[in-house]
Amino acid sequence: AQKVTQAQTEISVVEKEDVTLDCVYETRDTTYYLFWYKQPPSGELVFLIRRNSFDEQNEISGRYSWNFQKSTSSFNFTITASQVVDSAVYFCALSEAYSTLTFGKGTMLLVSP
Amino acid sequence: DTAVSQTPKYLVTQMGNDKSIKCEQNLGHDTMYWYKQDSKKFLKIMFSYNNKELIINETVPNRFSPKSPDKAHLNLHINSLELGDSAVYFCASSQDTAVAPVYNEQFFGPGTRLTVL
């Protein structure tokens, strides 16, 4: 079974729409970390956020917000008022006690003008 | 200043050849990694080094041999290249002093696109 599931392979939106990227994870550890990374068309991987398993507070950074819910093992990412520059592949990743980072398969977000 | 650099950025070669990819980080991190990203964008860890010592080898064929001459460098040598080795290879580093769990953000290099013909 996948440890990190990003069920949305590709999402297309029009600029200024809000969009939510889903991430569901699976772990038996009580201590773990969740990450989101962005990979724009230029190819580099850019860190967006880290959340530990004991901190369920939602986080907002500008137009980006993250909703962490342990009850549903989800760590969803919302972009408000999307822009063309948000077009990228977004990866959710999980770090557990005895393994390194496990990435989901990524969600490609296409924002058109 | 580039935090994590890789050379070359593109590598095109014939099947059966041997090639190397170099990685350097100037962040003072203790832990470095190699990842492989396939054509479907799936990212998978290959190796993890902590303070020049190999910690994780994720069932990678032994044609792949990482070498860490010092904490700032982690090179990847690939023998007898096969078509299936075509991918983008990313080097990364982090402040983590233990390899797991990964706590800190990983800084990624720009990637090396390897094409095996």
Side-chain angles (χ1 to χ4, degrees):
Chain A
Q2 284 183 25
K3 286 185 176 265
V4 180
T5 302
Q6 295 180 255
Q8 304 146 309
T9 306
E10 188 173 316
I11 302 175
S12 292
V13 298
V14 177
E15 232 179 355
K16 297 184 185 169
E17 282 185 30
D18 298 348
V19 58
T20 296
L21 283 60
D22 297 333
C23 173
V24 173
Y25 62 92
E26 181 185 328
T27 181
R28 293 181 179 174
D29 291 354
T30 54
T31 301
Y32 54 90
Y33 301 89
L34 294 160
F35 300 77
W36 276 95
Y37 282 84
K38 173 182 179 179
Q39 187 174 37
S42 50
E44 72 274 20
L45 281 149
V46 178
F47 167 81
L48 295 177
I49 191 171
R50 173 191 62 223
R51 175 64 80 227
N52 75 55
S53 52
F54 300 108
D55 181 3
E56 279 194 80
Q57 275 198 330
N58 291 335
E59 177 140 349
I60 298 174
S61 176
R63 296 183 297 106
Y64 294 173
S65 62
W66 290 268
N67 184 323
F68 176 32
Q69 290 199 334
K70 286 174 76 168
S71 59
T72 55
S73 296
S74 64
F75 186 40
N76 297 338
F77 172 30
T78 297
I79 302 175
T80 303
S82 59
Q83 299 176 1
V84 172
V85 293
D86 295 326
S87 296
V89 180
Y90 291 87
F91 293 95
C92 180
L94 167 70
S95 167
E96 302 169 279
Y98 298 104
S99 70
T100 56
L101 217 49
T102 301
F103 284 85
K105 292 188 174 181
T107 296
M108 179 176 286
L109 174 65
L110 299 169
V111 183
S112 52
Chain B
D1 280 346
T2 304
V4 182
S5 59
Q6 292 178 232
T7 52
K9 189 164 173 62
Y10 299 97
L11 190 50
V12 181
T13 188
Q14 300 285 334
M15 252 189 342
N17 284 351
D18 303 339
K19 289 293 177 187
S20 292
I21 306 172
K22 294 187 176 182
C23 176
E24 176 180 1
Q25 53 98 0
N26 63 7
L27 299 165
H29 290 165
D30 282 339
T31 305
M32 295 184 73
Y33 312 82
W34 276 110
Y35 286 88
K36 178 180 180 180
Q37 185 173 45
D38 64 22
S39 58
K40 295 185 178 177
K41 297 282 190 180
F42 184 53
L43 261 171
K44 190 165 164 45
I45 183 110
M46 299 173 68
F47 300 104
S48 181
Y49 267 74
N50 180 256
N51 203 11
K52 300 195 300 174
E53 286 194 27
L54 176 65
I55 304 298
I56 286 184
N57 176 344
E58 285 285 333
T59 60
V60 177
N62 57 16
R63 297 183 296 104
F64 291 79
S65 52
K67 282 192 172 51
S68 181
D70 54 59
K71 277 186 358 177
H73 295 85
L74 180 61
N75 304 323
L76 183 65
H77 187 76
I78 316 169
N79 289 329
S80 303
L81 278 154
E82 300 177 357
L83 293 176
D85 298 332
S86 295
V88 180
Y89 292 84
F90 285 97
C91 175
S93 73
S94 73
Q95 278 183 325
D96 293 282
T97 52
V99 173
V102 170
Y103 170 74
N104 292 296
E105 82 174 270
Q106 294 186 2
F107 292 80
F108 284 81
T112 295
R113 182 175 294 277
L114 171 64
T115 303
V116 182
L117 303 174

